[in-house]
Amino acid sequence: MKKLLALLLALVMVFGLVACGSKNETPEEPEQKTEEPAAPAETKEPEAEEPEAPAEPAEPAEETAGIKIGAILVHDENSGYDMAHIEGLTQACEALGIPMENVTFKYNIPEDETCYDTAADLADAGCNIIFSDSYGHQTHMGQAAAEFPDTVFVACTGDLAAGSGLSNLKNIFPFTYESRYVSGVVAGMKLKELMDAGTVTDPYIGYVGAYPYAEVVSGYTAFLLGIQSIVPEAHMDVQYTNSWYDPVAEGEAANALMGRGCVIIGQHADSTGAPSAVQAAYDSGKVAYSVGYNIDMLAVAPDAALTSAQNVWAVLYKATLEKYLAGEEIPTDFATGAADGAVKISALGASCAEGTAEAVDAAWAGLKDGSLHVFDTSKFTCQPAADDSYVVDEDGRVISAFGLDSNGDWVNDCGEAIVDGYFEESVLRSAPYFSLRIDGITELN
């Protein structure tokens, strides 16, 4: 019965993409993965607890004891991406005094009807708020949201909430481009050291990307811009794996890039495949260093790993749960970054160049006080747009760019993203929408 009703109500939501306003829409790109199931325990109502930190808002014992939370994960703790969500939600609950027995984790849920079934089962079990962590989950979360109007559904990497017409469907995402930029500063400092020593003459960078989607494009562009803030002539090739989690393919892509002459390999993929391959190349005597994603890669690349760009999901989970507990409206789209501690980089590896810590501190300070804009249009050029999604001047500087797609054709056609000379990322909606291909980056496939 719940499936029949959901299919009817889903018609109201899935094609609810409306004309662009100032605050989002668009389906942009699918996110993520799959893996082997773990067996999460079902939750039960515990007795009320006294909050541990009186300074925290929204902590009445009755409220924190009564809330039931569901979490739908596309993989399990073996994936760095999913582990970041598990840790983030756990830390948020601990900070708010929510007992962990009130949280039900559902692991290895694919981006298909299984997600709807899982979301509906969690709602039937009494969950008040349900999170999912993969882009492809969101349409199924929307189906469940239409059927269960008293339950809040939060897609952590979605972009359909604003156009859905559903007040209980939400999207959240961190400013990942900020941590990408800072990790690029780390890579740039190492590249400069290698060039100053004469070890490297061509500032050639490689990047292992999952898919050619805006989230990946935004991240690798920010990474190169961070590098170019130290080594302006740096250039980069991107090799796609067409998978979010494939250790073998990621390792092969890293090896292919190093074979072309790339000396530092970045990544937007969820396994340790690329850093492991870089460490093996380093051990063989090759000049090779790695910048990872999601988790600290020093365990698998103790000499080659410089740092990893990381999201602090606890910040977004906590802010969302605080509003729910306080009875406040949760924003349809919520995104934040360095200013609120929602992004970071992992510990600097031993191979980092001298002065890297100071350069990193300066970058974070600029991001936090607003003096540094990652996508400052004076810092990059683009070829003229073939699809009219942006406009460049005679020097190739972007002077206007759309951030949103009103009709689902994968071309941004509304929502001005250029403000005061820089591209405003994750403001028109929470999920990234920077998809410009700047000069200096070559996509190999």
Side-chain angles (χ1 to χ4, degrees), residues 52-99:
E52 291 182 11
E56 296 285 352
E59 283 195 4
E62 313 83 51
E63 292 184 16
T64 57
I67 188 174
K68 295 183 70 175
I69 301 168
I72 297 172
L73 306 171
V74 74
H75 291 128
D76 56 26
E77 66 279 357
N78 293 307
S79 157
Y81 175 80
D82 296 272
M83 191 62 204
H85 280 274
I86 295 167
E87 292 177 344
L89 181 54
T90 299
Q91 291 165 9
C93 288
E94 289 173 349
L96 293 170
I98 299 171

Side-chain angles (χ1 to χ4, degrees), residues 183-194 200 202-208 223 227 231 234-237 254 257-258 261-267 278 287-292 304-307:
S183 71
V185 171
V186 175
M189 292 294 291
K190 184 64 182 180
L191 187 59
K192 184 178 185 302
E193 179 187 70
L194 293 169
V200 167
D202 182 8
Y204 190 12
I205 306 301
Y207 198 94
V208 178
F223 179 64
I227 294 172
V231 182
H235 58 106
M236 184 169 74
D237 283 357
L257 288 164
M258 289 185 289
C262 297
V263 295
I264 298 177
I265 307 296
Q267 71 172 101
V278 177
V287 177
Y289 297 93
S290 169
V291 174
L306 301 176
T307 191

